[in-house]
């Protein structure tokens, strides 16, 4: 292969991935727990689930030159993600976080200070330009990691190094990260201003109705669209209620699937993967939302952020069969 020839891919995702440590039996963390180690990162989750659905994906990021970094690369590669753009840092470690399932929801403890991912900068992006993607996806986690990561995010979203390639942005507000990074500035105000600016300069935006309310004081999906009015596509997720898609002047609503929730962590990433799969395949708005709900439901019913998914064509056939049965029952 010509080393100067661009490598084509469906989606390039960029961001932080840590090692997730979770009790194997799904119980609380304690001294007797047995653990499972898995990658945990919004952007790599999207890449892995899109690969499961049959799309070609690359994940770009930085990991420590350590055994934990090896685990991340091995598991993501096993899900079909190309990790050739990942930089291994000999001076910074791979970050770790612990999941602690409780009766009131999953608590998470992060150990990411000084991580390899936090050391990413604009200089890293030079190596990524050999990939020619149909879409670039990233989230609001990246700019909160460090000043150099914030500069990198603005470079990708505002300067568009891949030219006309659409940018997909998941707001993914993490208050703890912004509190640590804000210095003397009010962390909510800083996050609100930064994330809104990035969203307005993106082509596809995902945001939770609740996080939009916390950031900007919006009250419903319509008010979110009134605020984030520039992207071609805006998807507002309302947890177990519905998801609303705004494309141009059209609005589409699809109720969420019913599911017995095991762990909500990672469901938003799965929804984005399902929706983007539909977008990549040229599906209509309703089917994109239904694909998003389907992928999110599989993760909600699992203790892992990454689950096996059928190829997108099989999922679409399943969804169409479900729709036909509902139609027949209603008649």
């Amino acid at each position: 292969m010509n080393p100067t020839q661009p490598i084509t891919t469906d989606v390039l995702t960029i961001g932080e991935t840590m090692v997730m440590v979770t009790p194997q039996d799904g119980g609380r963390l304690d001294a007797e727990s047995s653990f499972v180690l898995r990658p945990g990162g919004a952007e790599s989750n999207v890449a892995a689930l899109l690969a499961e659905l049959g799309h070609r994906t690359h994940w770009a990021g930085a990991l420590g030159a350590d055994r934990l970094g090896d685990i991340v690369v091995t598991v993501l590669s096993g899900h079909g993600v190309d990790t050739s753009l990942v930089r291994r840092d000999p001076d910074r470690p791979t970050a770790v976080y612990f999941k602690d399932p409780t009766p009131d929801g999953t608590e998470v403890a992060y150990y990411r200070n000084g991580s390899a991912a936090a050391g990413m900068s604009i200089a890293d992006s030079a190596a990524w330009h050999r990939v020619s993607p149909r879409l670039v996806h990233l989230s609001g986690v990246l700019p909160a990691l460090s000043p150099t990561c914030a500069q990198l995010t603005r470079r990708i979203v505002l300067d568009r190094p891949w030219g006309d390639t659409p940018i997909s942005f998941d707001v993914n507000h993490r208050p703890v990260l912004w509190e640590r990074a804000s210095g003397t500035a009010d962390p909510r105000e800083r996050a609100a201003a930064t994330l809104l600016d990035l969203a307005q300069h993106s082509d596809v935006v995902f945001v939770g109705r609740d996080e939009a309310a916390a950031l900007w004081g919006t009250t419903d999906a319509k008010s979110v669209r009134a605020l984030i009015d520039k992207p071609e596509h805006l998807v507002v997720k309302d947890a177990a209620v519905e998801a609303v898609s705004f494309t141009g002047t059209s609005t589409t609503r699809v109720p969420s699937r019913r599911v017995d929730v095991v762990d909500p962590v990672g469901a938003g990433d799965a929804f984005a993967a399902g929706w983007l799969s539909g977008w990549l395949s040229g599906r209509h708005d309703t089917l994109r939302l239904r694909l998003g709900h389907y992928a999110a439901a599989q993760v909600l019913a699992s203790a892992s952020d990454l689950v096996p998914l059928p190829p997108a064509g099989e999922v679409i056939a399943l969804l169409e069969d479900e729709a036909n049965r509902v139609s027949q029952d209603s008649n």
Side-chain angles (χ1 to χ4, degrees), residues 220-241:
D220 54 18
K222 184 178 179 180
S223 63
V224 178
R225 182 53 164 175
L227 179 70
I228 305 176
D229 59 348
K230 290 182 171 57
E232 180 180 357
H233 304 283
L234 170 68
V235 181
V236 182
K237 303 165 291 180
D238 194 0
V241 179

Side-chain angles (χ1 to χ4, degrees), residues 165-228:
T165 299
I167 299 292
S168 169
F169 181 71
D170 190 334
V171 171
N172 219 347
H173 178 221
R174 295 292 179 263
V176 172
L177 274 178
W178 289 95
E179 288 167 7
R180 191 188 71 193
S182 63
T184 58
D186 178 87
R188 192 199 65 79
E189 290 183 3
R190 183 167 177 264
T194 300
L195 296 173
L196 179 59
D197 186 43
L198 292 169
Q200 287 284 57
H201 283 86
S202 299
D203 303 289
V204 178
V205 175
F206 300 94
V207 64
R209 186 198 58 77
D210 55 346
E211 67 179 344
L215 280 167
W216 306 303
T218 51
T219 56
D220 54 18
K222 184 178 179 180
S223 63
V224 178
R225 182 53 164 175
L227 179 70
I228 305 176

Side-chain angles (χ1 to χ4, degrees), residues 280-294:
L280 289 164
S281 303
R283 307 293 180 178
H284 56 77
D285 284 345
T286 298
L287 191 49
R288 292 174 195 167
L289 291 173
R290 294 181 67 204
L291 280 164
H293 283 316
Y294 173 87

Side-chain angles (χ1 to χ4, degrees), residues 51-323:
E52 288 280 347
L53 289 165
H55 303 279
R56 187 174 184 190
T57 65
H58 283 67
W59 168 63
L63 298 167
D66 49 32
R67 183 56 181 152
L68 294 180
D70 294 343
I71 291 172
V72 171
V73 168
T74 299
V75 175
L76 291 178
S77 298
H79 281 274
V81 179
D82 189 310
T83 59
S84 61
L85 300 179
V86 177
R87 175 173 60 81
R88 305 298 297 272
D89 192 325
D91 300 316
R92 290 171 172 258
T94 301
V96 177
Y97 72 101
F98 289 79
K99 291 172 70 172
D100 183 14
T102 78
D104 298 323
T106 300
E107 297 179 358
V108 181
Y110 295 100
Y111 299 88
R112 71 205 322 169
N113 288 351
S115 71
M120 286 192 292
S121 69
I122 291 173
D124 283 295
S125 65
W128 306 339
H129 295 161
R130 63 190 178 91
V131 169
S132 176
R134 294 174 58 193
L135 179 81
V136 175
H137 176 80
L138 68 166
S139 86
V141 171
L142 184 60
L145 292 177
S146 68
T148 58
C149 285
Q151 293 165 4
L152 171 62
T153 308
R154 291 185 62 83
R155 163 71 173 153
I156 294 166
V157 177
L158 275 65
D159 295 343
R160 300 294 180 113
W162 285 275
D164 294 333
T165 299
I167 299 292
S168 169
F169 181 71
D170 190 334
V171 171
N172 219 347
H173 178 221
R174 295 292 179 263
V176 172
L177 274 178
W178 289 95
E179 288 167 7
R180 191 188 71 193
S182 63
T184 58
D186 178 87
R188 192 199 65 79
E189 290 183 3
R190 183 167 177 264
T194 300
L195 296 173
L196 179 59
D197 186 43
L198 292 169
Q200 287 284 57
H201 283 86
S202 299
D203 303 289
V204 178
V205 175
F206 300 94
V207 64
R209 186 198 58 77
D210 55 346
E211 67 179 344
L215 280 167
W216 306 303
T218 51
T219 56
D220 54 18
K222 184 178 179 180
S223 63
V224 178
R225 182 53 164 175
L227 179 70
I228 305 176
D229 59 348
K230 290 182 171 57
E232 180 180 357
H233 304 283
L234 170 68
V235 181
V236 182
K237 303 165 291 180
D238 194 0
V241 179
E242 65 177 355
V244 185
S245 172
F246 299 91
T247 299
T249 59
S250 67
T251 303
T252 306
R253 299 174 181 270
V254 173
S256 302
R257 295 174 71 93
R258 294 182 179 179
V259 59
D260 293 328
V261 177
V262 174
D263 185 354
V265 177
D269 306 330
F271 183 96
W275 193 96
L276 291 172
S277 175
W279 180 86
L280 289 164
S281 303
R283 307 293 180 178
H284 56 77
D285 284 345
T286 298
L287 191 49
R288 292 174 195 167
L289 291 173
R290 294 181 67 204
L291 280 164
H293 283 316
Y294 173 87
Q298 309 315 302
V299 170
L300 285 167
S302 169
S304 174
D305 294 4
L306 302 179
V307 296
L309 293 175
E314 293 182 21
V315 177
I316 290 169
L318 171 67
L319 295 175
E320 290 176 344
D321 184 59
E322 287 180 356

